[in-house]
Amino acid sequence: EVQLQQSGAELVKPGASVKLSCKTSGYTFSNYYMSWLKQMPGQNIEWIGNIYGGNGGTGYNQKFKGKATLTVDKSSSTAYMDLSSLTSEDSAVYFCARQGSWGNWFAYWGQGTLVTVSS
Amino acid sequence: DVVLTQSPATLSVTPGERISLSCRASESVDTYLHWYQQKPNESPRLLIKYASQSISGIPSRFSGSGSGTDFTLSINGVELEDLSIYYCQQGNSLPTFGAGTKLELK
């Protein structure tokens, strides 16, 4: 069974950074892309970018370049997302989602991590 | 970026009813259009991929159709557990999502 387990909720101060994790199991990590997505309360879902588990190759939504940095640790089948220079606009739920075998669709999702930016 | 417009924003339904939700793309996305269901405080769940392909484990009352710019998600016999928000998503280019259609009880 494919599982994506995300790290817990974060309360961070404006200007700080935070690193979110997404630990996977039930499939071959290096064979798939992992995407990260953002959902602000009551709002639409935005695609941040993706990373290939095999070689760490990344693709980003231009909107999130400089804000998000995606990495992987193949040894632990875990994906990470660093968010920097946080503002209130970064307060949201962040999901990791494993893409399908081919193409930009999201077959499996983590449970989400709530990030709250507040002083 | 491709803009996806979903309609209606909210749909009031009666259990057992057959309903259709619309998703219109600002440019052709071929059949690279996927549908998700999201319940409150849960992550989205994939319902339909590539406009009309079924997903293992998803009830057969859910079906999808369309290509190019106009797509439809149909639920044949709505059940109470289907009261959720439904999103379409295109993967023909940088992935984008529609704003969602909320199903509520009439």
Side-chain angles (χ1 to χ4, degrees):
Chain A
E1 179 191 7
V2 174
Q3 293 190 331
L4 283 63
Q5 182 65 39
Q6 295 188 237
S7 48
E10 300 273 3
L11 173 61
V12 293
K13 295 189 186 306
S17 297
V18 69
K19 188 170 187 172
L20 310 184
S21 67
C22 173
K23 182 167 179 58
T24 73
S25 61
Y27 72 97
T28 303
F29 183 78
S30 58
N31 287 355
Y32 292 88
Y33 281 90
M34 183 70 75
S35 276
W36 289 84
L37 303 103
K38 175 184 181 182
Q39 187 171 37
M40 295 177 75
Q43 295 200 27
N44 202 355
I45 302 169
E46 296 180 279
W47 183 76
I48 296 170
N50 64 5
I51 185 165
Y52 187 57
N55 61 8
T58 55
Y60 291 94
N61 182 339
Q62 185 69 28
K63 177 179 178 179
F64 292 96
K65 279 189 173 179
K67 171 62 66 178
T69 302
L70 306 184
T71 56
V72 294
D73 177 359
K74 287 197 295 183
S75 68
S76 63
S77 300
T78 302
Y80 297 93
M81 178 172 67
D82 274 290
L83 296 170
S84 63
S85 304
L86 292 166
T87 72
S88 59
E89 288 299 301
D90 298 314
S91 293
V93 175
Y94 292 87
F95 295 100
C96 59
R98 201 209 79 179
Q99 296 187 208
S101 300
W102 297 101
N104 292 324
W105 50 282
F106 310 109
Y108 299 94
W109 294 67
Q111 82 275 22
T113 296
L114 174 64
V115 174
T116 304
V117 182
S118 174
S119 54
Chain B
D1 297 354
V2 175
V3 176
L4 298 177
T5 302
Q6 293 189 241
S7 61
T10 304
L11 184 61
S12 299
V13 301
T14 302
E17 193 178 352
R18 175 180 170 87
I19 64 165
S20 294
L21 311 183
S22 173
C23 177
R24 180 162 292 175
S26 59
E27 62 188 72
S28 176
V29 298
D30 196 351
T31 57
Y32 295 98
L33 191 288
H34 319 293
W35 290 94
Y36 302 84
Q37 176 193 60
Q38 186 177 32
K39 297 185 178 183
N41 300 313
E42 293 186 8
S43 51
R45 176 175 71 150
L46 179 68
L47 294 178
I48 298 287
K49 63 180 181 180
Y50 296 111
S52 62
Q53 293 182 17
S54 59
I55 301 298
S56 175
I58 300 300
S60 59
R61 63 181 179 274
F62 292 93
S63 63
S65 62
S67 66
T69 61
D70 289 301
F71 300 88
T72 300
L73 174 71
S74 298
I75 308 177
N76 189 10
V78 170
E79 299 190 5
L80 288 176
E81 66 181 23
D82 300 336
L83 301 180
S84 309
I85 299 177
Y86 292 84
Y87 294 98
C88 56
Q89 174 250 322
Q90 66 81 21
N92 188 52
S93 56
L94 183 147
T96 54
F97 288 76
T101 292
K102 181 179 181 179
L103 288 194
E104 63 176 26
L105 194 61
K106 186 178 290 184

Short mmCIF file of all heavy atoms in Angstrom, two decimals, chain A residues 52-110:
data_model
loop_
_atom_site.label_atom_id
_atom_site.label_comp_id
_atom_site.label_asym_id
_atom_site.label_seq_id
_atom_site.Cartn_x
_atom_site.Cartn_y
_atom_site.Cartn_z
N TYR A 52 12.16 14.45 -9.02
CA TYR A 52 12.22 13.05 -9.40
C TYR A 52 13.00 12.29 -8.34
O TYR A 52 14.12 12.67 -7.98
CB TYR A 52 12.89 12.90 -10.77
CG TYR A 52 12.83 11.50 -11.31
CD1 TYR A 52 11.61 10.85 -11.48
CD2 TYR A 52 14.00 10.80 -11.65
CE1 TYR A 52 11.55 9.57 -11.97
CE2 TYR A 52 13.94 9.52 -12.14
CZ TYR A 52 12.72 8.90 -12.31
OH TYR A 52 12.65 7.62 -12.80
N GLY A 53 12.41 11.21 -7.84
CA GLY A 53 13.04 10.46 -6.77
C GLY A 53 14.35 9.80 -7.18
O GLY A 53 15.21 9.55 -6.35
N GLY A 54 14.53 9.56 -8.48
CA GLY A 54 15.71 8.87 -8.96
C GLY A 54 16.97 9.71 -8.92
O GLY A 54 18.02 9.26 -8.45
N ASN A 55 16.87 10.95 -9.43
CA ASN A 55 18.08 11.77 -9.54
C ASN A 55 17.94 13.16 -8.91
O ASN A 55 18.85 13.97 -9.00
CB ASN A 55 18.48 11.92 -11.01
CG ASN A 55 17.41 12.62 -11.83
OD1 ASN A 55 16.42 13.13 -11.29
ND2 ASN A 55 17.60 12.64 -13.14
N GLY A 56 16.80 13.43 -8.31
CA GLY A 56 16.62 14.72 -7.66
C GLY A 56 16.37 15.87 -8.62
O GLY A 56 16.39 17.04 -8.21
N GLY A 57 16.11 15.57 -9.88
CA GLY A 57 15.81 16.63 -10.84
C GLY A 57 14.52 17.33 -10.48
O GLY A 57 13.55 16.68 -10.07
N THR A 58 14.50 18.64 -10.60
CA THR A 58 13.36 19.42 -10.13
C THR A 58 12.71 20.26 -11.23
O THR A 58 13.36 20.61 -12.23
CB THR A 58 13.76 20.37 -9.00
OG1 THR A 58 14.85 21.19 -9.44
CG2 THR A 58 14.16 19.61 -7.75
N GLY A 59 11.46 20.60 -11.04
CA GLY A 59 10.74 21.56 -11.86
C GLY A 59 9.89 22.40 -10.94
O GLY A 59 9.30 21.88 -9.98
N TYR A 60 9.87 23.69 -11.19
CA TYR A 60 9.16 24.61 -10.30
C TYR A 60 8.16 25.45 -11.06
O TYR A 60 8.40 25.86 -12.21
CB TYR A 60 10.15 25.55 -9.59
CG TYR A 60 11.05 24.90 -8.58
CD1 TYR A 60 12.32 24.45 -8.93
CD2 TYR A 60 10.63 24.75 -7.25
CE1 TYR A 60 13.14 23.84 -8.00
CE2 TYR A 60 11.45 24.15 -6.31
CZ TYR A 60 12.72 23.70 -6.69
OH TYR A 60 13.54 23.11 -5.76
N ASN A 61 7.08 25.76 -10.37
CA ASN A 61 6.18 26.82 -10.80
C ASN A 61 6.94 28.14 -10.59
O ASN A 61 7.46 28.38 -9.50
CB ASN A 61 4.90 26.76 -9.95
CG ASN A 61 3.86 27.79 -10.34
OD1 ASN A 61 4.16 28.79 -10.98
ND2 ASN A 61 2.63 27.54 -9.95
N GLN A 62 7.00 28.95 -11.61
CA GLN A 62 7.75 30.21 -11.53
C GLN A 62 7.34 31.02 -10.30
O GLN A 62 8.17 31.70 -9.69
CB GLN A 62 7.51 31.02 -12.80
CG GLN A 62 8.31 32.29 -12.90
CD GLN A 62 9.79 32.03 -13.09
OE1 GLN A 62 10.19 31.00 -13.66
NE2 GLN A 62 10.62 32.93 -12.63
N LYS A 63 6.08 30.94 -9.92
CA LYS A 63 5.57 31.70 -8.78
C LYS A 63 6.29 31.35 -7.48
O LYS A 63 6.40 32.17 -6.57
CB LYS A 63 4.07 31.46 -8.62
CG LYS A 63 3.43 32.15 -7.43
CD LYS A 63 1.95 31.88 -7.35
CE LYS A 63 1.35 32.55 -6.11
NZ LYS A 63 -0.12 32.34 -6.01
N PHE A 64 6.80 30.11 -7.40
CA PHE A 64 7.40 29.64 -6.15
C PHE A 64 8.92 29.53 -6.22
O PHE A 64 9.54 29.07 -5.26
CB PHE A 64 6.78 28.30 -5.76
CG PHE A 64 5.33 28.41 -5.36
CD1 PHE A 64 4.33 28.15 -6.29
CD2 PHE A 64 4.97 28.79 -4.09
CE1 PHE A 64 2.99 28.28 -5.95
CE2 PHE A 64 3.63 28.90 -3.72
CZ PHE A 64 2.64 28.65 -4.67
N LYS A 65 9.50 29.95 -7.33
CA LYS A 65 10.96 29.93 -7.40
C LYS A 65 11.51 30.95 -6.42
O LYS A 65 11.06 32.09 -6.36
CB LYS A 65 11.43 30.25 -8.82
CG LYS A 65 11.37 29.07 -9.76
CD LYS A 65 12.04 29.36 -11.09
CE LYS A 65 12.11 28.10 -11.94
NZ LYS A 65 12.73 28.34 -13.26
N GLY A 66 12.51 30.52 -5.64
CA GLY A 66 13.06 31.39 -4.61
C GLY A 66 12.33 31.24 -3.28
O GLY A 66 12.85 31.63 -2.24
N LYS A 67 11.13 30.71 -3.31
CA LYS A 67 10.37 30.49 -2.08
C LYS A 67 10.52 29.04 -1.60
O LYS A 67 10.71 28.77 -0.43
CB LYS A 67 8.89 30.78 -2.33
CG LYS A 67 7.93 30.38 -1.21
CD LYS A 67 8.21 31.13 0.09
CE LYS A 67 7.95 32.60 -0.04
NZ LYS A 67 8.18 33.32 1.23
N ALA A 68 10.41 28.10 -2.53
CA ALA A 68 10.45 26.67 -2.20
C ALA A 68 11.67 26.01 -2.81
O ALA A 68 12.05 26.31 -3.95
CB ALA A 68 9.19 25.99 -2.70
N THR A 69 12.28 25.11 -2.05
CA THR A 69 13.38 24.29 -2.54
C THR A 69 13.07 22.83 -2.22
O THR A 69 12.83 22.49 -1.06
CB THR A 69 14.71 24.69 -1.89
OG1 THR A 69 14.97 26.07 -2.15
CG2 THR A 69 15.86 23.85 -2.45
N LEU A 70 13.07 22.00 -3.26
CA LEU A 70 12.71 20.60 -3.11
C LEU A 70 13.96 19.73 -3.12
O LEU A 70 14.86 19.94 -3.95
CB LEU A 70 11.78 20.16 -4.24
CG LEU A 70 10.52 21.00 -4.45
CD1 LEU A 70 9.65 20.39 -5.54
CD2 LEU A 70 9.74 21.15 -3.16
N THR A 71 14.00 18.77 -2.21
CA THR A 71 15.10 17.81 -2.15
C THR A 71 14.54 16.44 -1.82
O THR A 71 13.38 16.31 -1.41
CB THR A 71 16.14 18.20 -1.09
OG1 THR A 71 15.49 18.33 0.18
CG2 THR A 71 16.84 19.51 -1.44
N VAL A 72 15.37 15.41 -2.00
CA VAL A 72 14.98 14.05 -1.61
C VAL A 72 16.15 13.38 -0.90
O VAL A 72 17.31 13.73 -1.08
CB VAL A 72 14.57 13.18 -2.82
CG1 VAL A 72 13.30 13.72 -3.47
CG2 VAL A 72 15.70 13.07 -3.84
N ASP A 73 15.81 12.38 -0.09
CA ASP A 73 16.79 11.49 0.51
C ASP A 73 16.36 10.09 0.09
O ASP A 73 15.42 9.52 0.66
CB ASP A 73 16.81 11.64 2.03
CG ASP A 73 17.76 10.66 2.70
OD1 ASP A 73 18.39 9.84 2.00
OD2 ASP A 73 17.89 10.71 3.93
N LYS A 74 17.05 9.54 -0.91
CA LYS A 74 16.65 8.24 -1.42
C LYS A 74 16.83 7.14 -0.38
O LYS A 74 16.06 6.18 -0.36
CB LYS A 74 17.47 7.91 -2.68
CG LYS A 74 17.06 8.72 -3.89
CD LYS A 74 17.57 8.09 -5.19
CE LYS A 74 19.07 8.09 -5.28
NZ LYS A 74 19.54 7.54 -6.57
N SER A 75 17.81 7.30 0.48
CA SER A 75 18.09 6.25 1.46
C SER A 75 16.92 6.04 2.41
O SER A 75 16.72 4.94 2.92
CB SER A 75 19.35 6.57 2.24
OG SER A 75 19.16 7.70 3.08
N SER A 76 16.13 7.09 2.64
CA SER A 76 14.98 6.98 3.54
C SER A 76 13.66 7.17 2.80
O SER A 76 12.61 7.25 3.44
CB SER A 76 15.08 8.02 4.66
OG SER A 76 15.04 9.33 4.13
N SER A 77 13.72 7.24 1.48
CA SER A 77 12.50 7.42 0.65
C SER A 77 11.67 8.60 1.13
O SER A 77 10.44 8.51 1.27
CB SER A 77 11.65 6.13 0.66
OG SER A 77 12.39 5.05 0.13
N THR A 78 12.35 9.69 1.38
CA THR A 78 11.70 10.89 1.93
C THR A 78 11.95 12.08 1.03
O THR A 78 13.08 12.29 0.57
CB THR A 78 12.21 11.18 3.35
OG1 THR A 78 11.97 10.05 4.18
CG2 THR A 78 11.51 12.39 3.94
N ALA A 79 10.88 12.84 0.81
CA ALA A 79 10.98 14.10 0.09
C ALA A 79 10.87 15.26 1.08
O ALA A 79 10.17 15.15 2.10
CB ALA A 79 9.88 14.19 -0.96
N TYR A 80 11.56 16.34 0.73
CA TYR A 80 11.56 17.52 1.60
C TYR A 80 11.23 18.77 0.79
O TYR A 80 11.54 18.86 -0.40
CB TYR A 80 12.93 17.71 2.26
CG TYR A 80 13.36 16.60 3.17
CD1 TYR A 80 14.14 15.54 2.67
CD2 TYR A 80 13.00 16.58 4.51
CE1 TYR A 80 14.54 14.51 3.51
CE2 TYR A 80 13.40 15.55 5.35
CZ TYR A 80 14.17 14.51 4.84
OH TYR A 80 14.56 13.49 5.67
N MET A 81 10.64 19.73 1.50
CA MET A 81 10.45 21.05 0.90
C MET A 81 10.84 22.12 1.92
O MET A 81 10.29 22.15 3.04
CB MET A 81 9.00 21.29 0.47
CG MET A 81 8.78 22.69 -0.12
SD MET A 81 7.17 22.95 -0.85
CE MET A 81 6.11 22.87 0.58
N ASP A 82 11.80 22.96 1.54
CA ASP A 82 12.19 24.11 2.33
C ASP A 82 11.41 25.32 1.84
O ASP A 82 11.37 25.59 0.63
CB ASP A 82 13.68 24.39 2.15
CG ASP A 82 14.53 23.60 3.12
OD1 ASP A 82 14.47 23.91 4.32
OD2 ASP A 82 15.22 22.69 2.65
N LEU A 83 10.83 26.04 2.78
CA LEU A 83 10.16 27.30 2.48
C LEU A 83 10.92 28.41 3.21
O LEU A 83 11.14 28.32 4.42
CB LEU A 83 8.70 27.27 2.94
CG LEU A 83 7.81 26.25 2.24
CD1 LEU A 83 6.46 26.16 2.96
CD2 LEU A 83 7.60 26.61 0.78
N SER A 84 11.29 29.44 2.47
CA SER A 84 12.13 30.49 3.04
C SER A 84 11.41 31.83 3.09
O SER A 84 10.40 32.05 2.42
CB SER A 84 13.42 30.62 2.22
OG SER A 84 13.10 31.02 0.90
N SER A 85 11.98 32.73 3.91
CA SER A 85 11.49 34.12 4.04
C SER A 85 9.97 34.15 4.16
O SER A 85 9.27 34.81 3.39
CB SER A 85 11.94 34.95 2.84
OG SER A 85 13.33 34.92 2.69
N LEU A 86 9.48 33.46 5.15
CA LEU A 86 8.04 33.25 5.28
C LEU A 86 7.30 34.53 5.64
O LEU A 86 7.77 35.34 6.45
CB LEU A 86 7.76 32.16 6.31
CG LEU A 86 8.21 30.76 5.88
CD1 LEU A 86 8.23 29.81 7.07
CD2 LEU A 86 7.32 30.23 4.77
N THR A 87 6.12 34.68 5.01
CA THR A 87 5.20 35.77 5.33
C THR A 87 3.82 35.17 5.58
O THR A 87 3.61 33.96 5.41
CB THR A 87 5.10 36.78 4.16
OG1 THR A 87 4.38 36.17 3.08
CG2 THR A 87 6.48 37.20 3.67
N SER A 88 2.87 36.03 5.93
CA SER A 88 1.52 35.54 6.18
C SER A 88 0.92 34.87 4.94
O SER A 88 0.06 34.00 5.06
CB SER A 88 0.64 36.70 6.65
OG SER A 88 0.60 37.71 5.65
N GLU A 89 1.36 35.26 3.76
CA GLU A 89 0.87 34.66 2.53
C GLU A 89 1.31 33.21 2.36
O GLU A 89 0.78 32.50 1.49
CB GLU A 89 1.32 35.48 1.32
CG GLU A 89 0.61 36.82 1.20
CD GLU A 89 -0.89 36.63 1.04
OE1 GLU A 89 -1.30 35.96 0.07
OE2 GLU A 89 -1.65 37.14 1.89
N ASP A 90 2.25 32.80 3.18
CA ASP A 90 2.71 31.40 3.12
C ASP A 90 1.94 30.51 4.09
O ASP A 90 2.15 29.29 4.10
CB ASP A 90 4.20 31.33 3.43
CG ASP A 90 5.02 32.09 2.41
OD1 ASP A 90 4.77 31.92 1.20
OD2 ASP A 90 5.92 32.87 2.82
N SER A 91 1.08 31.10 4.91
CA SER A 91 0.24 30.30 5.81
C SER A 91 -0.74 29.49 4.97
O SER A 91 -1.54 30.05 4.22
CB SER A 91 -0.51 31.20 6.78
OG SER A 91 0.37 31.83 7.67
N ALA A 92 -0.66 28.17 5.09
CA ALA A 92 -1.44 27.30 4.22
C ALA A 92 -1.23 25.86 4.65
O ALA A 92 -0.40 25.56 5.51
CB ALA A 92 -1.01 27.46 2.76
N VAL A 93 -2.00 24.97 4.03
CA VAL A 93 -1.72 23.54 4.13
C VAL A 93 -0.90 23.14 2.91
O VAL A 93 -1.24 23.52 1.77
CB VAL A 93 -3.01 22.70 4.19
CG1 VAL A 93 -2.68 21.21 4.17
CG2 VAL A 93 -3.81 23.06 5.43
N TYR A 94 0.18 22.43 3.14
CA TYR A 94 1.05 21.97 2.07
C TYR A 94 0.95 20.44 1.97
O TYR A 94 1.05 19.74 2.97
CB TYR A 94 2.49 22.39 2.34
CG TYR A 94 2.68 23.89 2.24
CD1 TYR A 94 2.46 24.70 3.35
CD2 TYR A 94 3.03 24.49 1.04
CE1 TYR A 94 2.59 26.08 3.27
CE2 TYR A 94 3.16 25.86 0.94
CZ TYR A 94 2.93 26.65 2.06
OH TYR A 94 3.07 28.02 1.96
N PHE A 95 0.71 20.00 0.75
CA PHE A 95 0.59 18.58 0.48
C PHE A 95 1.77 18.10 -0.36
O PHE A 95 2.21 18.81 -1.28
CB PHE A 95 -0.68 18.26 -0.32
CG PHE A 95 -1.98 18.54 0.39
CD1 PHE A 95 -2.69 19.69 0.13
CD2 PHE A 95 -2.49 17.63 1.31
CE1 PHE A 95 -3.91 19.95 0.77
CE2 PHE A 95 -3.69 17.87 1.95
CZ PHE A 95 -4.40 19.04 1.69
N CYS A 96 2.23 16.88 -0.05
CA CYS A 96 3.05 16.18 -1.03
C CYS A 96 2.12 15.20 -1.74
O CYS A 96 1.14 14.71 -1.17
CB CYS A 96 4.23 15.46 -0.40
SG CYS A 96 3.82 14.21 0.84
N ALA A 97 2.40 14.94 -3.00
CA ALA A 97 1.55 14.05 -3.79
C ALA A 97 2.41 13.31 -4.81
O ALA A 97 3.12 13.96 -5.59
CB ALA A 97 0.45 14.84 -4.49
N ARG A 98 2.33 12.01 -4.81
CA ARG A 98 3.09 11.23 -5.78
C ARG A 98 2.37 11.25 -7.11
O ARG A 98 1.15 11.00 -7.18
CB ARG A 98 3.26 9.78 -5.32
CG ARG A 98 4.43 9.08 -6.00
CD ARG A 98 4.19 7.60 -6.10
NE ARG A 98 3.30 7.26 -7.20
CZ ARG A 98 2.95 6.02 -7.50
NH1 ARG A 98 3.38 5.02 -6.75
NH2 ARG A 98 2.15 5.78 -8.51
N GLN A 99 3.12 11.56 -8.15
CA GLN A 99 2.50 11.60 -9.46
C GLN A 99 2.25 10.20 -10.01
O GLN A 99 2.79 9.21 -9.50
CB GLN A 99 3.38 12.40 -10.42
CG GLN A 99 3.49 13.85 -9.99
CD GLN A 99 4.20 14.72 -10.98
OE1 GLN A 99 4.80 15.73 -10.61
NE2 GLN A 99 4.17 14.41 -12.27
N GLY A 100 1.41 10.13 -11.03
CA GLY A 100 1.14 8.87 -11.69
C GLY A 100 2.35 8.39 -12.47
O GLY A 100 3.38 9.06 -12.53
N SER A 101 2.21 7.24 -13.09
CA SER A 101 3.33 6.64 -13.82
C SER A 101 3.86 7.57 -14.91
O SER A 101 5.06 7.67 -15.12
CB SER A 101 2.89 5.31 -14.44
OG SER A 101 2.47 4.42 -13.44
N TRP A 102 2.97 8.21 -15.60
CA TRP A 102 3.36 9.19 -16.60
C TRP A 102 2.44 10.39 -16.48
O TRP A 102 1.25 10.25 -16.28
CB TRP A 102 3.23 8.60 -18.02
CG TRP A 102 4.14 7.45 -18.26
CD1 TRP A 102 3.82 6.14 -18.25
CD2 TRP A 102 5.54 7.52 -18.53
NE1 TRP A 102 4.93 5.37 -18.50
CE2 TRP A 102 6.00 6.19 -18.68
CE3 TRP A 102 6.45 8.58 -18.66
CZ2 TRP A 102 7.34 5.90 -18.95
CZ3 TRP A 102 7.77 8.28 -18.93
CH2 TRP A 102 8.21 6.95 -19.07
N GLY A 103 2.97 11.54 -16.56
CA GLY A 103 2.13 12.72 -16.63
C GLY A 103 1.92 13.43 -15.31
O GLY A 103 2.26 12.92 -14.23
N ASN A 104 1.34 14.61 -15.44
CA ASN A 104 1.15 15.50 -14.29
C ASN A 104 -0.22 15.28 -13.66
O ASN A 104 -1.12 16.12 -13.79
CB ASN A 104 1.30 16.95 -14.74
CG ASN A 104 2.72 17.28 -15.14
OD1 ASN A 104 3.66 16.79 -14.55
ND2 ASN A 104 2.87 18.11 -16.16
N TRP A 105 -0.38 14.14 -13.00
CA TRP A 105 -1.57 13.90 -12.20
C TRP A 105 -1.14 13.25 -10.90
O TRP A 105 -0.03 12.73 -10.80
CB TRP A 105 -2.60 13.04 -12.94
CG TRP A 105 -2.08 11.78 -13.54
CD1 TRP A 105 -1.37 11.66 -14.70
CD2 TRP A 105 -2.23 10.46 -13.04
NE1 TRP A 105 -1.06 10.35 -14.93
CE2 TRP A 105 -1.57 9.58 -13.94
CE3 TRP A 105 -2.86 9.92 -11.91
CZ2 TRP A 105 -1.54 8.21 -13.76
CZ3 TRP A 105 -2.83 8.53 -11.74
CH2 TRP A 105 -2.17 7.69 -12.65
N PHE A 106 -2.00 13.33 -9.90
CA PHE A 106 -1.57 13.07 -8.53
C PHE A 106 -2.33 11.89 -7.96
O PHE A 106 -3.49 11.99 -7.58
CB PHE A 106 -1.75 14.35 -7.70
CG PHE A 106 -1.12 15.53 -8.39
CD1 PHE A 106 -1.90 16.52 -8.94
CD2 PHE A 106 0.26 15.61 -8.53
CE1 PHE A 106 -1.32 17.59 -9.61
CE2 PHE A 106 0.85 16.67 -9.21
CZ PHE A 106 0.05 17.66 -9.75
N ALA A 107 -1.64 10.76 -7.95
CA ALA A 107 -2.29 9.49 -7.63
C ALA A 107 -2.46 9.29 -6.13
O ALA A 107 -3.45 8.69 -5.69
CB ALA A 107 -1.49 8.35 -8.23
N TYR A 108 -1.47 9.73 -5.37
CA TYR A 108 -1.49 9.52 -3.93
C TYR A 108 -1.07 10.81 -3.24
O TYR A 108 -0.14 11.48 -3.71
CB TYR A 108 -0.54 8.39 -3.53
CG TYR A 108 -0.89 7.06 -4.15
CD1 TYR A 108 -0.29 6.66 -5.35
CD2 TYR A 108 -1.82 6.22 -3.56
CE1 TYR A 108 -0.63 5.46 -5.93
CE2 TYR A 108 -2.15 5.00 -4.13
CZ TYR A 108 -1.55 4.62 -5.32
OH TYR A 108 -1.88 3.42 -5.90
N TRP A 109 -1.73 11.11 -2.12
CA TRP A 109 -1.49 12.36 -1.41
C TRP A 109 -1.10 12.09 0.04
O TRP A 109 -1.63 11.15 0.66
CB TRP A 109 -2.75 13.21 -1.41
CG TRP A 109 -3.19 13.70 -2.76
CD1 TRP A 109 -3.64 12.93 -3.81
CD2 TRP A 109 -3.23 15.04 -3.22
NE1 TRP A 109 -3.96 13.72 -4.89
CE2 TRP A 109 -3.72 15.03 -4.54
CE3 TRP A 109 -2.92 16.27 -2.63
CZ2 TRP A 109 -3.90 16.20 -5.30
CZ3 TRP A 109 -3.10 17.43 -3.38
CH2 TRP A 109 -3.58 17.38 -4.70
N GLY A 110 -0.24 12.94 0.57
CA GLY A 110 -0.02 12.96 2.00
C GLY A 110 -1.20 13.61 2.70
O GLY A 110 -2.10 14.16 2.04
#
